[in-house]
Amino acid sequence: MPKVLMRGNHVVGEAAIRAGCRYYFGYPITPQNEIPEYMSEKLPEAEGGVFIQAESEIASVHMVIGASMAGGRVMTSSSGPGISLKQEGISFLCALELPAVIVNMSRGGPGLGNIAPSQSDYFQATRGGGHGDYRTIVFGPNSCQELADLTYEGFNLADKYRTPVLVLGDGMLGQMMEPVELPQEIPLKKLPAKDWALTGAKGRASRFIRSLILDPIKEEEHNWKLMRKYEKITREEVRWETYFADDAKMMVIAFGIAARIAKGAIKRLREEGVKVGLLRPITLWPFPFKAIKEISKKVKHFFVFEMNMGQMLEDVKLGLEGNGEVHFYGRPGGVILTPLEIARVISSQYYQKRLG
Amino acid sequence: MKKVFGRPKSLKATPFHYCPGCGHSIIHRLIGEVIDEMNLQEKIIGVPPAGCAVLAYNYFDIDMGEASHGRAAAVATGFKRVLPDRIVFTYQGDGDMAAIGTAESIHAAARGENITTIFVNNGVYGMTGGQMAPTTILGQNTTTSPRGRKEKTEGFPINLSEMLAIARGSSYIERTAVNTPANILKTKKAIAKAFRLQMQGYGFTLVEILSACPTNWKMDPVKSSKWIDEVMTSHFPLGVLKDNSGDKKDAH
């Protein structure tokens, strides 16, 4: 299929529609406004398509809940402060075991912060910013192509596991344009049947979907059931990639757009003979703990680069279990480093550790 | 022997957990009767709230999807937009509807969302133990207005149905009560009319029902019923607040 030049936020919308998403509920916030704008343009043209600009982030995520209960493929999107408001609904989506895709084109924080690209929502995304014992699948794409592929795949995983999937991008990924090969559109008839959806009890017993489980023994059972699902996801859905890892003496670990910048730095450093590689988690939850532990058998020096104050850093340390020295370099607030700048910091660490 | 009275088939054979004198049991039954009479059991979806009626799915033999506190109108919007040919209703209390869910309620009405809301107003937060609600009237004692609600400190109660009647997207709004046999019959007719108008695509419909909470009002059921007539209705007058249906008569 030929490539098209598209902006990241538009890619999300188009990939969702091609994945059979016909329902989008959102609320404006920069830097993701092109997603609702795209959906408002395209969904009414698609069979059964519905776009609603809701009165709030809270209302939009609860419209997602209703549409998901009714069996639709449904999406919402926002950025930092708006995702905070959606956390109530995300906790309910998990408890009610409902599929949905939620996109966060994150920005500088905390508070209103700014509208520049930042990765400061890693904790919120991977720890679950809402109440209760739950996990959400979190993708950390680093290109417009991956935005297309992971948004599309997100709908399949959400349906497969009946759980919400978060796509954690950032303002840079949402705003930049790249050539993208779009995924094949799935006909609505080929979408998986949902024998649990609430459609009116025609020709079958009535059913209900609820999260209130007053009996502690039954609530415990429900928590165990969710836990078994999360364990299966952890076993089967972890994704990561490595770059120049084979002979690396120092591994950079970065996700999303920071990993993209780090790749440029590593390419430059390799030309100078600096033996540095990259491990890039693609799923931020489940996190590739095993891959990190495996690499720590060969490599002892790790360089974690994030556009925040050190959030994924904690997962890296958990994965290493003490087997390796970790240096952290973070730039919060929406500051974007060039590959040259980050190359200088990496190489300074590399030579300080007398690796070259 | 001829059977003259029975359980509506859209209600399950589960005894209600509601307190003696509570209006929820009557309202559940009325909705069940309307669903049966209009033959809607196979194409209606209910959205129960957080609050005393959260367990409504244990009683209604229809598809039901729970909403968190205040979000029923948004959840119902999601249902209705995916399944526009089904009948979708929310069942909400006054705290749910007129405090935490004010935005969702007003905007569902403003959008003319083609759903029906059954708004049960008993003037208190029942399930949490009788705290002050947005509809608690001036002077009324609750566990969080123990000296009686005063406008200077607790502010005025909200007449949400009147506010929603202003919204251009709402088509039919009526306030009824379930404290007397006559009012119960009127309530049933209002619910049936709201469902009928939804089927005809009129947009947002709402039936507010004044309902007793003897436990939290700390009154016996008989006194509670009288209190609705003597005190509550002077703040929340019964009657049709809006009707765009063009019906010559009101629901009664």
Side-chain angles (χ1 to χ4, degrees), chain A residues 67-134:
Chain A
S68 184
M69 281 183 178
R73 278 201 161 176
V74 54
M75 180 169 85
T76 186
S77 63
S78 191
S79 183
I83 296 291
S84 296
L85 289 169
K86 288 188 197 293
Q87 293 301 333
E88 172 188 310
I90 295 172
S91 167
F92 273 77
L93 282 163
C94 288
L96 298 164
E97 295 196 84
L98 295 173
V101 171
I102 299 146
V103 179
N104 180 1
M105 289 301 176
S106 61
R107 51 191 252 172
L112 277 180
N114 58 31
I115 56 171
S118 167
Q119 296 186 313
S120 53
D121 296 350
Y122 181 93
F123 279 153
Q124 186 195 49
T126 59
R127 267 54 182 172
H131 61 282
D133 245 335
Y134 73 84

Side-chain angles (χ1 to χ4, degrees), chain A residues 25-38:
Chain A
F25 307 100
Y27 186 84
I29 183 171
T30 309
Q32 61 83 54
N33 292 316
E34 294 81 4
I35 301 177
E37 284 168 359
Y38 192 86

Side-chain angles (χ1 to χ4, degrees), chain A residues 195 197-207, chain B residues 39-45 61-63 83 85-86:
Chain A
D195 59 4
L198 304 179
T199 53
K202 191 177 172 88
R204 58 163 171 82
S206 67
R207 52 188 172 225
Chain B
N39 199 21
L40 296 176
Q41 195 179 9
E42 293 189 336
K43 58 176 178 182
I44 196 163
I45 299 166
D61 197 2
I62 60 170
D63 276 9
L83 303 166
D85 62 342
R86 308 303 199 280

Side-chain angles (χ1 to χ4, degrees), chain A residues 220-285:
Chain A
E220 186 186 36
E221 271 172 28
H222 184 58
N223 272 273
W224 281 118
K225 183 188 174 203
L226 294 179
M227 191 51 154
R228 285 192 292 275
K229 170 158 76 180
Y230 300 146
E231 282 172 354
K232 186 169 159 49
I233 293 170
T234 304
R235 279 195 307 275
E236 296 179 10
E237 306 298 345
V238 186
R239 297 173 194 200
W240 74 94
E241 71 158 13
T242 55
Y243 181 68
F244 283 116
D246 289 349
D247 62 343
K249 291 182 179 174
M250 177 184 269
M251 283 295 282
V252 175
I253 303 183
F255 73 95
I257 206 69
R260 185 81 174 273
I261 300 168
K263 244 184 193 177
I266 289 163
K267 198 174 166 194
R268 186 180 289 267
L269 290 167
R270 280 283 171 175
E271 283 164 12
E272 294 167 15
V274 178
K275 290 190 172 174
V276 58
L278 173 78
L279 186 145
R280 177 174 74 91
I282 297 170
T283 50
L284 306 180
W285 193 89

Side-chain angles (χ1 to χ4, degrees), chain B residues 76-104:
Chain B
T77 297
F79 271 118
K80 189 70 180 187
R81 294 298 184 111
V82 177
L83 303 166
D85 62 342
R86 308 303 199 280
I87 307 306
V88 178
F89 74 98
T90 70
Y91 188 106
Q92 299 177 260
D94 39 89
D96 189 79
M97 181 89 192
I100 196 166
T102 314
E104 285 79 358

Side-chain angles (χ1 to χ4, degrees), chain B residues 118-140:
Chain B
I118 308 298
F119 170 26
V120 182
N121 179 0
N122 61 14
V124 286
Y125 283 81
M127 197 191 210
T128 45
Q131 293 82 12
M132 186 182 74
T135 47
T136 297
I137 60 175
L138 291 179
Q140 190 179 346

Side-chain angles (χ1 to χ4, degrees), chain A residues 123 145 160 272 337 356:
Chain A
F123 279 153
Q145 184 61 56
K160 180 179 175 186
E272 294 167 15
L337 259 67

Side-chain angles (χ1 to χ4, degrees), chain A residues 165-238:
Chain A
V165 172
L166 266 64
V167 178
L168 180 62
D170 60 73
M172 190 170 167
L173 203 53
Q175 297 297 325
M176 71 189 194
M177 292 179 87
E178 285 191 287
V180 176
E181 191 178 332
L182 290 162
Q184 198 74 34
E185 178 147 15
I186 182 166
L188 295 186
K189 277 179 280 178
K190 289 200 173 170
L191 291 178
K194 295 178 177 176
D195 59 4
W196 47 265
L198 304 179
T199 53
K202 191 177 172 88
R204 58 163 171 82
S206 67
R207 52 188 172 225
F208 55 80
I209 298 178
R210 57 88 169 87
S211 66
L212 180 85
I213 306 171
L214 289 171
D215 180 346
I217 297 295
K218 287 187 177 157
E219 178 66 48
E220 186 186 36
E221 271 172 28
H222 184 58
N223 272 273
W224 281 118
K225 183 188 174 203
L226 294 179
M227 191 51 154
R228 285 192 292 275
K229 170 158 76 180
Y230 300 146
E231 282 172 354
K232 186 169 159 49
I233 293 170
T234 304
R235 279 195 307 275
E236 296 179 10
E237 306 298 345
V238 186

